[in-house]
Coordinates of all heavy atoms in Angstrom, one line a residue:
V1 N 29.8 14.3 -20.0 CA 29.9 15.3 -21.0 C 29.2 14.9 -22.3 O 28.6 15.7 -22.9 CB 31.4 15.6 -21.2 CG1 31.6 16.6 -22.4 CG2 32.0 16.1 -20.0
N2 N 29.3 13.6 -22.6 CA 28.7 13.1 -23.9 C 27.2 13.2 -23.8 O 26.6 13.6 -24.8 CB 29.2 11.7 -24.2 CG 28.9 11.3 -25.6 OD1 28.6 12.1 -26.4 ND2 29.0 10.0 -25.9
S3 N 26.6 12.8 -22.7 CA 25.2 12.9 -22.6 C 24.6 14.3 -22.6 O 23.6 14.6 -23.1 CB 24.7 12.1 -21.4 OG 25.0 12.8 -20.2
V4 N 25.4 15.2 -22.0 CA 25.0 16.6 -22.0 C 25.0 17.2 -23.5 O 24.1 17.9 -23.9 CB 25.9 17.5 -21.1 CG1 25.7 19.0 -21.3 CG2 25.8 17.0 -19.7
F5 N 26.1 16.8 -24.2 CA 26.1 17.3 -25.6 C 25.0 16.7 -26.4 O 24.4 17.4 -27.2 CB 27.5 16.8 -26.2 CG 27.5 17.2 -27.7 CD1 27.8 18.5 -28.1 CD2 27.4 16.2 -28.6 CE1 27.8 18.8 -29.5 CE2 27.4 16.5 -30.0 CZ 27.7 17.8 -30.4
S6 N 24.7 15.4 -26.2 CA 23.6 14.8 -27.0 C 22.3 15.4 -26.7 O 21.4 15.6 -27.6 CB 23.6 13.3 -26.9 OG 23.3 12.9 -25.5
K7 N 22.0 15.7 -25.4 CA 20.8 16.3 -25.0 C 20.7 17.7 -25.6 O 19.6 18.1 -26.0 CB 20.6 16.3 -23.5 CG 20.4 15.0 -22.9 CD 20.3 15.0 -21.4 CE 20.1 13.7 -20.8 NZ 20.1 13.7 -19.3
A8 N 21.8 18.5 -25.5 CA 21.8 19.8 -26.1 C 21.6 19.8 -27.6 O 20.8 20.6 -28.2 CB 23.1 20.5 -25.7
F9 N 22.2 18.8 -28.3 CA 22.0 18.7 -29.7 C 20.6 18.4 -30.1 O 20.0 18.9 -31.0 CB 23.0 17.7 -30.3 CG 22.9 17.5 -31.8 CD1 23.4 18.4 -32.6 CD2 22.2 16.4 -32.3 CE1 23.3 18.3 -34.0 CE2 22.1 16.2 -33.7 CZ 22.7 17.2 -34.5
I10 N 20.0 17.5 -29.4 CA 18.6 17.1 -29.6 C 17.6 18.3 -29.4 O 16.7 18.5 -30.1 CB 18.2 15.9 -28.8 CG1 18.9 14.6 -29.3 CG2 16.7 15.6 -28.7 CD1 18.7 13.4 -28.4
A11 N 17.9 19.0 -28.3 CA 17.1 20.2 -28.0 C 17.2 21.3 -29.1 O 16.3 21.9 -29.5 CB 17.5 20.8 -26.6
F12 N 18.5 21.4 -29.6 CA 18.7 22.3 -30.7 C 18.0 22.0 -32.0 O 17.3 22.8 -32.6 CB 20.2 22.4 -31.0 CG 20.6 23.3 -32.1 CD1 20.5 24.7 -31.9 CD2 21.1 22.8 -33.3 CE1 20.9 25.6 -33.0 CE2 21.4 23.7 -34.3 CZ 21.3 25.0 -34.2
V13 N 18.0 20.7 -32.3 CA 17.3 20.2 -33.5 C 15.8 20.3 -33.4 O 15.1 20.8 -34.3 CB 17.7 18.8 -33.9 CG1 16.8 18.2 -34.9 CG2 19.2 18.7 -34.3
L14 N 15.3 20.0 -32.2 CA 13.9 20.2 -31.9 C 13.4 21.6 -32.0 O 12.4 22.0 -32.5 CB 13.5 19.5 -30.6 CG 13.5 18.0 -30.6 CD1 13.2 17.5 -29.2 CD2 12.5 17.4 -31.6
G15 N 14.3 22.5 -31.5 CA 14.0 23.9 -31.6 C 14.0 24.4 -33.0 O 13.1 25.2 -33.4
I16 N 14.9 24.0 -33.8 CA 14.9 24.3 -35.2 C 13.6 23.8 -35.9 O 12.9 24.6 -36.7 CB 16.1 23.8 -35.9 CG1 17.3 24.6 -35.5 CG2 16.0 23.9 -37.5 CD1 18.6 24.0 -36.0
L17 N 13.2 22.6 -35.6 CA 12.0 22.0 -36.2 C 10.8 22.8 -35.8 O 9.9 23.0 -36.6 CB 11.9 20.5 -35.9 CG 12.9 19.6 -36.6 CD1 12.7 18.2 -36.1 CD2 12.6 19.7 -38.1
L18 N 10.7 23.1 -34.5 CA 9.6 23.9 -34.0 C 9.5 25.3 -34.7 O 8.4 25.7 -35.1 CB 9.7 24.1 -32.5 CG 9.2 22.9 -31.7 CD1 9.5 23.1 -30.2 CD2 7.7 22.7 -31.9
Y19 N 10.7 26.0 -34.7 CA 10.7 27.3 -35.3 C 10.2 27.3 -36.8 O 9.3 28.0 -37.2 CB 12.1 27.9 -35.3 CG 12.2 29.2 -36.1 CD1 11.6 30.3 -35.7 CD2 13.0 29.2 -37.2 CE1 11.8 31.5 -36.4 CE2 13.1 30.3 -38.0 CZ 12.5 31.5 -37.6 OH 12.6 32.6 -38.3
Y20 N 10.8 26.4 -37.6 CA 10.5 26.3 -39.0 C 9.1 25.8 -39.2 O 8.3 26.3 -40.0 CB 11.5 25.4 -39.8 CG 12.7 26.2 -40.2 CD1 13.9 26.1 -39.5 CD2 12.7 27.0 -41.3 CE1 15.0 26.8 -39.8 CE2 13.8 27.7 -41.7 CZ 15.0 27.6 -41.0 OH 16.1 28.3 -41.3
G21 N 8.7 24.8 -38.4 CA 7.4 24.2 -38.6 C 6.2 25.2 -38.3 O 5.3 25.3 -39.0
I22 N 6.4 25.9 -37.1 CA 5.4 26.8 -36.7 C 5.3 28.0 -37.6 O 4.2 28.5 -38.1 CB 5.6 27.2 -35.2 CG1 5.2 26.0 -34.4 CG2 4.7 28.4 -34.9 CD1 5.6 26.2 -32.9
T23 N 6.5 28.6 -37.9 CA 6.4 29.8 -38.8 C 6.0 29.5 -40.2 O 5.2 30.3 -40.8 CB 7.8 30.5 -38.8 OG1 8.8 29.6 -39.2 CG2 8.1 31.1 -37.4
L24 N 6.4 28.4 -40.7 CA 6.0 28.1 -42.1 C 4.5 27.6 -42.1 O 3.8 27.9 -43.1 CB 6.9 27.0 -42.7 CG 8.3 27.4 -43.0 CD1 9.1 26.2 -43.5 CD2 8.4 28.5 -44.0
G25 N 4.1 26.9 -41.1 CA 2.7 26.5 -41.0 C 1.7 27.5 -40.8 O 0.6 27.5 -41.3
L26 N 2.1 28.5 -40.0 CA 1.1 29.6 -39.6 C 1.3 30.8 -40.5 O 0.3 31.5 -40.8 CB 1.3 30.0 -38.1 CG 1.0 28.9 -37.1 CD1 1.2 29.4 -35.7 CD2 -0.4 28.4 -37.3
F27 N 2.5 31.2 -40.8 CA 2.7 32.5 -41.5 C 3.2 32.3 -43.0 O 3.4 33.2 -43.7 CB 3.7 33.3 -40.8 CG 3.3 33.6 -39.4 CD1 4.1 33.0 -38.3 CD2 2.2 34.3 -39.0 CE1 3.8 33.2 -37.0 CE2 1.8 34.5 -37.7 CZ 2.6 34.0 -36.7
A28 N 3.6 31.0 -43.3 CA 4.1 30.7 -44.7 C 5.5 31.3 -44.9 O 5.9 31.3 -46.1 CB 3.1 31.1 -45.8
Q29 N 6.1 31.8 -43.9 CA 7.5 32.4 -44.1 C 8.1 32.5 -42.7 O 7.5 32.7 -41.7 CB 7.6 33.7 -44.8 CG 6.3 34.5 -44.9 CD 6.5 35.9 -45.5 OE1 5.9 36.8 -45.0 NE2 7.1 36.0 -46.6
T30 N 9.5 32.3 -42.7 CA 10.2 32.6 -41.6 C 10.6 34.1 -41.6 O 10.3 34.8 -42.6 CB 11.5 31.7 -41.5 OG1 12.3 32.0 -42.7 CG2 11.2 30.2 -41.5
F31 N 11.3 34.5 -40.6 CA 11.8 35.9 -40.6 C 12.7 36.2 -41.8 O 12.6 37.2 -42.5 CB 12.4 36.3 -39.3 CG 12.9 37.7 -39.3 CD1 12.1 38.8 -39.2 CD2 14.3 38.0 -39.4 CE1 12.5 40.1 -39.2 CE2 14.7 39.3 -39.4 CZ 13.8 40.4 -39.3
G32 N 13.6 35.3 -42.0 CA 14.6 35.4 -43.2 C 13.9 35.4 -44.5 O 14.2 36.1 -45.4
M33 N 12.9 34.5 -44.6 CA 12.1 34.5 -45.9 C 11.3 35.8 -46.1 O 11.2 36.3 -47.2 CB 11.1 33.3 -45.9 CG 11.9 32.0 -46.0 SD 10.8 30.6 -45.7 CE 9.8 30.5 -47.1
W34 N 10.8 36.4 -45.0 CA 10.1 37.7 -45.0 C 11.1 38.7 -45.5 O 10.7 39.6 -46.3 CB 9.5 38.0 -43.7 CG 9.0 39.4 -43.6 CD1 7.8 39.8 -44.1 CD2 9.6 40.5 -43.0 NE1 7.7 41.2 -43.8 CE2 8.8 41.6 -43.2 CE3 10.8 40.7 -42.4 CZ2 9.1 42.9 -42.7 CZ3 11.2 41.9 -41.9 CH2 10.3 43.0 -42.1
F35 N 12.3 38.7 -45.0 CA 13.3 39.7 -45.3 C 13.6 39.7 -46.8 O 13.8 40.7 -47.5 CB 14.5 39.5 -44.4 CG 15.6 40.5 -44.7 CD1 15.5 41.8 -44.2 CD2 16.7 40.2 -45.5 CE1 16.5 42.8 -44.4 CE2 17.7 41.1 -45.8 CZ 17.6 42.4 -45.3
W36 N 13.8 38.4 -47.3 CA 14.2 38.3 -48.7 C 13.0 38.2 -49.7 O 13.2 38.1 -50.9 CB 15.0 37.0 -48.9 CG 16.4 37.2 -48.2 CD1 16.8 36.6 -47.1 CD2 17.4 38.0 -48.7 NE1 18.1 37.0 -46.8 CE2 18.5 37.8 -47.8 CE3 17.6 38.8 -49.8 CZ2 19.7 38.5 -47.9 CZ3 18.8 39.5 -49.9 CH2 19.9 39.3 -49.0
G37 N 11.8 38.3 -49.2 CA 10.6 38.3 -50.0 C 10.2 37.0 -50.6 O 9.8 36.9 -51.7
L38 N 10.3 35.9 -49.8 CA 9.9 34.6 -50.2 C 8.7 34.1 -49.4 O 8.6 34.4 -48.3 CB 11.1 33.6 -50.0 CG 12.3 33.9 -50.8 CD1 13.5 33.0 -50.4 CD2 12.1 33.8 -52.3
L39 N 7.9 33.3 -50.1 CA 6.7 32.7 -49.4 C 6.6 31.3 -49.9 O 6.9 30.9 -51.0 CB 5.5 33.5 -49.9 CG 4.2 33.2 -49.3 CD1 4.1 33.7 -47.9 CD2 3.1 33.9 -50.1
I40 N 6.3 30.4 -49.0 CA 6.1 29.0 -49.3 C 4.6 28.7 -49.5 O 3.8 29.1 -48.7 CB 6.7 28.0 -48.2 CG1 6.7 26.6 -48.7 CG2 6.1 28.2 -46.9 CD1 7.4 25.6 -47.9
V41 N 4.3 28.0 -50.6 CA 2.9 27.7 -50.9 C 2.9 26.3 -51.5 O 3.9 25.7 -51.9 CB 2.2 28.7 -51.9 CG1 2.1 30.0 -51.4 CG2 3.0 28.7 -53.2
R42 N 1.7 25.7 -51.5 CA 1.5 24.4 -52.2 C 1.7 24.6 -53.6 O 1.6 25.7 -54.1 CB 0.2 23.8 -51.8 CG 0.1 23.2 -50.5 CD -1.1 22.3 -50.3 NE -2.2 22.6 -51.1 CZ -3.5 22.8 -50.6 NH1 -3.7 22.8 -49.3 NH2 -4.4 23.1 -51.5
K43 N 1.9 23.5 -54.4 CA 2.1 23.6 -55.8 C 0.8 24.2 -56.5 O 1.0 24.9 -57.5 CB 2.3 22.2 -56.4 CG 2.7 22.2 -57.8 CD 4.2 22.6 -58.0 CE 4.6 22.2 -59.4 NZ 5.3 23.2 -60.1
D44 N -0.4 24.0 -55.9 CA -1.6 24.6 -56.5 C -1.9 26.0 -55.9 O -3.0 26.5 -56.0 CB -2.8 23.7 -56.3 CG -3.1 23.4 -54.9 OD1 -2.4 23.9 -54.0 OD2 -4.1 22.7 -54.6
L45 N -0.9 26.6 -55.3 CA -0.9 27.9 -54.7 C -1.8 28.0 -53.5 O -2.3 29.1 -53.0 CB -1.4 29.0 -55.7 CG -0.4 29.2 -56.9 CD1 -1.0 30.2 -57.8 CD2 1.0 29.5 -56.5
G46 N -2.1 26.8 -52.8 CA -2.9 26.8 -51.6 C -2.0 27.0 -50.4 O -0.8 27.1 -50.5
E47 N -2.6 27.0 -49.2 CA -1.9 27.2 -48.0 C -1.1 26.0 -47.6 O -1.5 24.9 -47.9 CB -2.8 27.6 -46.8 CG -3.4 28.9 -46.9 CD -4.3 29.2 -45.7 OE1 -3.7 29.1 -44.6 OE2 -5.4 29.6 -45.9
V48 N 0.1 26.2 -47.0 CA 0.9 25.2 -46.4 C 0.5 25.1 -44.9 O 0.8 26.0 -44.2 CB 2.4 25.4 -46.6 CG1 3.2 24.4 -45.9 CG2 2.7 25.5 -48.0
F49 N -0.1 24.0 -44.5 CA -0.5 23.9 -43.1 C 0.6 23.2 -42.2 O 1.7 22.9 -42.8 CB -1.8 23.1 -43.0 CG -3.0 23.8 -43.6 CD1 -3.6 23.4 -44.7 CD2 -3.4 25.0 -43.0 CE1 -4.6 24.1 -45.3 CE2 -4.5 25.7 -43.6 CZ -5.1 25.2 -44.8
L50 N 0.4 23.1 -40.9 CA 1.4 22.6 -40.0 C 2.0 21.3 -40.4 O 3.2 21.1 -40.3 CB 0.8 22.6 -38.6 CG 0.7 23.9 -37.9 CD1 0.0 23.7 -36.6 CD2 2.0 24.6 -37.7
G51 N 1.2 20.3 -40.8 CA 1.8 19.0 -41.1 C 2.8 19.0 -42.2 O 3.9 18.4 -42.1
R52 N 2.4 19.7 -43.3 CA 3.3 19.8 -44.4 C 4.5 20.6 -44.1 O 5.6 20.4 -44.6 CB 2.5 20.4 -45.6 CG 3.2 20.3 -46.9 CD 2.4 20.9 -48.1 NE 1.1 20.3 -48.1 CZ 0.6 19.5 -49.1 NH1 1.4 19.1 -50.0 NH2 -0.6 19.0 -49.0
A53 N 4.3 21.7 -43.3 CA 5.4 22.5 -42.9 C 6.4 21.8 -42.0 O 7.6 21.9 -42.2 CB 4.9 23.7 -42.1
Y54 N 5.9 20.9 -41.1 CA 6.9 20.1 -40.3 C 7.6 19.1 -41.2 O 8.8 18.9 -41.0 CB 6.1 19.4 -39.2 CG 6.0 20.3 -38.0 CD1 4.7 20.7 -37.6 CD2 7.1 20.7 -37.2 CE1 4.6 21.5 -36.5 CE2 6.9 21.5 -36.1 CZ 5.7 21.9 -35.8 OH 5.5 22.7 -34.7
L55 N 6.9 18.5 -42.1 CA 7.6 17.5 -43.0 C 8.6 18.3 -43.9 O 9.7 17.8 -44.1 CB 6.6 16.8 -43.9 CG 7.1 15.8 -44.9 CD1 7.8 14.7 -44.2 CD2 6.0 15.3 -45.8
Y56 N 8.3 19.4 -44.4 CA 9.2 20.3 -45.1 C 10.4 20.6 -44.3 O 11.6 20.5 -44.7 CB 8.5 21.6 -45.6 CG 9.4 22.5 -46.4 CD1 9.5 22.4 -47.8 CD2 10.1 23.5 -45.8 CE1 10.3 23.2 -48.5 CE2 10.9 24.3 -46.5 CZ 11.0 24.2 -47.9 OH 11.8 25.0 -48.6
S57 N 10.2 21.0 -43.0 CA 11.3 21.3 -42.1 C 12.2 20.2 -41.8 O 13.4 20.3 -41.9 CB 10.8 21.9 -40.8 OG 9.9 23.0 -41.0
F58 N 11.6 19.0 -41.6 CA 12.4 17.8 -41.3 C 13.2 17.4 -42.6 O 14.4 17.1 -42.5 CB 11.5 16.6 -40.9 CG 12.2 15.3 -40.8 CD1 13.0 15.1 -39.6 CD2 12.2 14.4 -41.7 CE1 13.7 13.9 -39.5 CE2 12.9 13.2 -41.6 CZ 13.6 13.0 -40.4
L59 N 12.6 17.5 -43.7 CA 13.4 17.1 -45.0 C 14.4 18.2 -45.3 O 15.5 17.8 -45.8 CB 12.4 17.0 -46.1 CG 11.5 15.8 -46.1 CD1 10.4 15.9 -47.2 CD2 12.2 14.5 -46.2
M60 N 14.2 19.4 -44.9 CA 15.2 20.4 -45.1 C 16.4 20.2 -44.3 O 17.6 20.3 -44.8 CB 14.6 21.8 -44.8 CG 15.5 23.0 -45.0 SD 14.8 24.6 -44.6 CE 14.4 24.4 -42.9
L61 N 16.2 19.7 -43.0 CA 17.4 19.4 -42.2 C 18.1 18.1 -42.7 O 19.3 18.0 -42.6 CB 16.9 19.2 -40.7 CG 16.7 20.5 -40.0 CD1 16.1 20.2 -38.6 CD2 17.9 21.4 -39.9
A62 N 17.3 17.1 -43.1 CA 17.8 15.8 -43.4 C 18.5 15.8 -44.8 O 19.5 15.1 -45.0 CB 16.7 14.7 -43.4
L63 N 18.0 16.6 -45.7 CA 18.5 16.6 -47.1 C 19.2 17.9 -47.5 O 19.2 18.3 -48.6 CB 17.4 16.3 -48.1 CG 16.5 15.1 -47.9 CD1 15.3 15.1 -48.8 CD2 17.3 13.9 -48.1
G64 N 19.9 18.5 -46.6 CA 20.5 19.8 -46.8 C 21.4 19.9 -48.0 O 21.0 20.6 -49.0
L65 N 22.5 19.3 -48.1 CA 23.4 19.5 -49.2 C 23.0 18.9 -50.5 O 23.1 19.6 -51.6 CB 24.8 19.0 -48.9 CG 25.6 19.9 -47.8 CD1 26.9 19.3 -47.4 CD2 25.7 21.3 -48.2
P66 N 22.5 17.7 -50.5 CA 21.9 17.2 -51.8 C 20.8 18.0 -52.4 O 20.7 18.1 -53.6 CB 21.4 15.8 -51.5 CG 22.2 15.4 -50.3 CD 22.4 16.6 -49.5
S67 N 20.0 18.6 -51.5 CA 19.0 19.5 -52.0 C 19.5 20.7 -52.7 O 18.9 21.1 -53.7 CB 18.1 19.8 -50.8 OG 17.0 20.6 -51.2
L68 N 20.5 21.3 -52.1 CA 21.1 22.5 -52.7 C 21.7 22.1 -54.1 O 21.6 22.9 -55.1 CB 22.2 23.1 -51.9 CG 21.8 23.8 -50.6 CD1 23.0 24.2 -49.8 CD2 21.0 25.0 -50.9
L69 N 22.3 21.0 -54.2 CA 22.8 20.6 -55.5 C 21.7 20.4 -56.6 O 21.9 20.8 -57.7 CB 23.6 19.2 -55.3 CG 24.3 18.7 -56.6 CD1 25.4 19.7 -57.0 CD2 24.9 17.4 -56.3
L70 N 20.6 19.9 -56.2 CA 19.5 19.7 -57.1 C 18.9 21.0 -57.5 O 18.5 21.2 -58.7 CB 18.4 18.8 -56.4 CG 17.2 18.6 -57.3 CD1 17.6 17.6 -58.5 CD2 16.0 18.0 -56.6
V71 N 18.9 22.0 -56.7 CA 18.4 23.3 -57.0 C 19.2 23.9 -58.2 O 18.7 24.5 -59.1 CB 18.4 24.3 -55.8 CG1 18.2 25.7 -56.2 CG2 17.4 23.9 -54.8
Y72 N 20.5 23.8 -58.1 CA 21.4 24.3 -59.1 C 21.4 23.5 -60.4 O 21.6 24.0 -61.5 CB 22.8 24.5 -58.6 CG 23.0 25.6 -57.6 CD1 23.3 25.3 -56.3 CD2 22.8 26.9 -58.0 CE1 23.4 26.3 -55.4 CE2 22.9 27.9 -57.1 CZ 23.2 27.6 -55.8 OH 23.3 28.6 -54.9
L73 N 21.1 22.2 -60.4 CA 21.1 21.4 -61.5 C 19.7 21.2 -62.2 O 19.7 20.9 -63.4 CB 21.6 20.0 -61.2 CG 23.1 19.9 -60.7 CD1 23.4 18.5 -60.3 CD2 24.0 20.4 -61.7
S74 N 18.7 21.4 -61.5 CA 17.3 21.3 -62.0 C 16.9 22.5 -62.8 O 17.2 23.6 -62.4 CB 16.4 21.1 -60.8 OG 15.0 21.1 -61.3
P75 N 16.2 22.3 -63.9 CA 15.7 23.4 -64.7 C 14.6 24.2 -64.0 O 14.3 25.3 -64.3 CB 15.3 22.8 -66.0 CG 15.0 21.4 -65.7 CD 15.9 21.0 -64.6
Y76 N 13.9 23.5 -63.1 CA 12.8 24.1 -62.4 C 13.2 24.9 -61.1 O 12.4 25.5 -60.5 CB 11.7 23.1 -62.0 CG 11.1 22.4 -63.2 CD1 11.4 21.1 -63.5 CD2 10.4 23.2 -64.1 CE1 10.9 20.5 -64.6 CE2 9.8 22.6 -65.2 CZ 10.1 21.3 -65.5 OH 9.6 20.7 -66.6
R77 N 14.5 24.7 -60.7 CA 15.0 25.3 -59.5 C 14.2 25.0 -58.2 O 14.0 25.9 -57.4 CB 15.1 26.9 -59.7 CG 15.9 27.3 -60.8 CD 17.4 27.1 -60.6 NE 18.2 27.7 -61.6 CZ 19.3 27.2 -62.0 NH1 19.8 26.1 -61.5 NH2 20.0 27.7 -63.0
R78 N 13.9 23.7 -58.1 CA 13.1 23.3 -56.9 C 14.0 22.4 -56.1 O 14.7 21.5 -56.7 CB 11.8 22.6 -57.3 CG 10.8 23.6 -57.8 CD 9.5 23.0 -58.2 NE 8.9 22.5 -57.0 CZ 8.0 21.5 -57.0 NH1 7.8 20.8 -58.1 NH2 7.4 21.2 -55.9
S79 N 14.0 22.4 -54.8 CA 14.8 21.6 -53.9 C 14.0 20.2 -53.7 O 12.9 20.1 -54.0 CB 15.0 22.3 -52.6 OG 13.8 22.5 -51.9
L80 N 14.8 19.3 -53.1 CA 14.2 18.0 -52.8 C 13.0 18.1 -51.9 O 12.0 17.4 -52.1 CB 15.2 17.0 -52.2 CG 16.2 16.5 -53.2 CD1 17.3 15.7 -52.5 CD2 15.5 15.6 -54.2
Q81 N 13.1 18.9 -50.8 CA 12.0 19.0 -49.9 C 10.8 19.6 -50.6 O 9.6 19.3 -50.2 CB 12.4 19.7 -48.6 CG 12.8 21.2 -48.8 CD 14.3 21.3 -48.9 OE1 15.0 20.4 -49.2 NE2 14.8 22.5 -48.7
E82 N 11.0 20.5 -51.5 CA 9.8 21.1 -52.2 C 9.2 20.1 -53.1 O 7.9 20.0 -53.2 CB 10.3 22.3 -53.1 CG 10.7 23.5 -52.3 CD 11.2 24.6 -53.3 OE1 10.4 25.1 -54.1 OE2 12.4 24.9 -53.2
I83 N 9.9 19.2 -53.8 CA 9.4 18.2 -54.7 C 8.7 17.2 -53.8 O 7.5 16.8 -54.2 CB 10.5 17.6 -55.5 CG1 11.1 18.6 -56.5 CG2 10.0 16.3 -56.2 CD1 12.4 18.2 -57.1
L84 N 9.2 16.7 -52.7 CA 8.6 15.7 -51.9 C 7.4 16.1 -51.2 O 6.5 15.3 -50.9 CB 9.7 15.1 -50.9 CG 10.8 14.3 -51.6 CD1 11.8 13.9 -50.5 CD2 10.3 13.1 -52.3
T85 N 7.3 17.4 -50.8 CA 6.1 17.9 -50.1 C 5.1 18.6 -51.0 O 4.2 19.2 -50.5 CB 6.5 18.8 -48.9 OG1 7.3 19.9 -49.5 CG2 7.3 18.1 -47.9
N86 N 5.4 18.7 -52.3 CA 4.5 19.3 -53.3 C 4.3 20.8 -52.9 O 3.2 21.3 -52.9 CB 3.2 18.5 -53.4 CG 2.5 18.9 -54.7 OD1 3.1 19.2 -55.7 ND2 1.2 18.7 -54.6
T87 N 5.4 21.5 -52.6 CA 5.4 22.9 -52.3 C 6.3 23.6 -53.2 O 7.1 23.0 -54.0 CB 5.8 23.2 -50.9 OG1 7.1 22.7 -50.7 CG2 4.8 22.5 -49.9
M88 N 6.3 24.9 -53.2 CA 7.2 25.7 -53.9 C 7.4 27.1 -53.2 O 6.5 27.5 -52.5 CB 6.8 25.9 -55.4 CG 5.6 26.7 -55.6 SD 5.2 26.7 -57.4 CE 3.8 27.8 -57.3
L89 N 8.6 27.7 -53.4 CA 8.8 29.0 -52.9 C 8.6 30.0 -54.0 O 9.0 29.8 -55.1 CB 10.3 29.1 -52.4 CG 10.7 28.3 -51.2 CD1 12.2 28.5 -51.0 CD2 9.9 28.8 -50.0
I90 N 7.9 31.1 -53.7 CA 7.6 32.1 -54.6 C 8.1 33.4 -54.1 O 8.2 33.6 -52.9 CB 6.1 32.2 -55.0 CG1 5.3 32.5 -53.7 CG2 5.6 31.0 -55.7 CD1 3.8 32.8 -54.0
R91 N 8.5 34.3 -55.0 CA 9.1 35.6 -54.7 C 7.9 36.6 -54.5 O 7.1 36.7 -55.4 CB 10.0 36.1 -55.7 CG 10.7 37.3 -55.3 CD 11.8 37.7 -56.3 NE 12.8 36.7 -56.5 CZ 13.9 36.5 -55.8 NH1 14.1 37.3 -54.8 NH2 14.7 35.5 -56.0
T92 N 7.8 37.3 -53.4 CA 6.7 38.2 -53.2 C 7.2 39.6 -53.2 O 6.4 40.5 -53.3 CB 6.1 38.0 -51.8 OG1 7.1 38.1 -50.8 CG2 5.5 36.6 -51.7
A93 N 8.5 39.9 -53.2 CA 9.0 41.3 -53.2 C 9.1 41.8 -54.6 O 9.6 41.0 -55.5 CB 10.3 41.3 -52.4
A94 N 8.8 43.0 -54.8 CA 8.9 43.6 -56.1 C 10.3 44.1 -56.2 O 10.9 44.6 -55.3 CB 7.9 44.7 -56.3
R95 N 10.9 44.0 -57.4 CA 12.2 44.5 -57.7 C 12.1 45.8 -58.5 O 11.3 45.9 -59.4 CB 13.0 43.5 -58.5 CG 13.4 42.3 -57.7 CD 14.3 41.5 -58.5 NE 14.7 40.3 -57.8 CZ 15.4 39.3 -58.3 NH1 15.7 39.3 -59.5 NH2 15.8 38.3 -57.5
P96 N 12.9 46.8 -58.1 CA 12.8 48.1 -58.9 C 13.3 47.9 -60.3 O 14.2 47.1 -60.5 CB 13.6 49.1 -58.0 CG 14.5 48.2 -57.3 CD 13.8 46.9 -57.0
K97 N 12.8 48.7 -61.2 CA 13.3 48.6 -62.6 C 14.6 49.4 -62.7 O 14.7 50.5 -62.1 CB 12.2 49.2 -63.5 CG 11.0 48.4 -63.6 CD 10.1 49.0 -64.7 CE 8.8 48.1 -64.8 NZ 7.9 48.6 -65.7
A98 N 15.5 48.9 -63.4 CA 16.8 49.5 -63.5 C 16.9 50.5 -64.6 O 16.2 50.5 -65.6 CB 17.9 48.5 -63.6

């Protein structure tokens, strides 16, 4: 039972890394990011390719909660994975005027 769980967990983590790495590397957004109007770009507004996208995805999984804390405490509102991979999330959706 323990080996089945560990194999399933490894497959799950690899699936997450593949999903995030491929979608961020090829399309610069996941489905959720598309829905919320977010796009990932390099700090100089260049494209994020597969290598940087996989590193971003790995760091996102590894640094989950401390990264969220930094977003709320930092004046620039950037997460640890954004700082370490020299990327940033930008909003692409327009908001209606109230």
Side-chain angles (χ1 to χ4, degrees):
V1 175
N2 193 16
S3 69
V4 172
F5 175 76
S6 63
K7 288 179 184 177
F9 180 74
I10 290 171
F12 179 71
V13 169
L14 288 177
I16 290 173
L17 287 174
L18 280 173
Y19 170 71
Y20 277 100
I22 290 172
T23 56
L24 292 177
L26 296 178
F27 307 114
Q29 14 180 226
T30 62
F31 179 73
M33 292 169 71
W34 171 78
F35 181 80
W36 291 106
L38 297 173
L39 186 72
I40 187 170
V41 294
R42 286 193 331 233
K43 189 78 167 136
D44 62 357
L45 300 180
E47 289 185 52
V48 176
F49 294 112
L50 285 174
R52 193 180 307 251
Y54 276 112
L55 180 61
Y56 180 89
S57 303
F58 176 76
L59 291 173
M60 183 178 59
L61 284 176
L63 304 172
L65 291 177
S67 181
L68 288 176
L69 185 62
L70 182 69
V71 169
Y72 288 113
L73 297 177
S74 169
Y76 299 111
R77 302 287 187 215
R78 292 181 65 209
S79 63
L80 283 173
Q81 62 266 18
E82 290 178 63
I83 294 168
L84 293 174
T85 58
N86 200 26
T87 59
M88 64 182 184
L89 291 176
I90 58 174
R91 187 174 304 274
T92 59
R95 291 186 177 172
K97 293 183 180 180

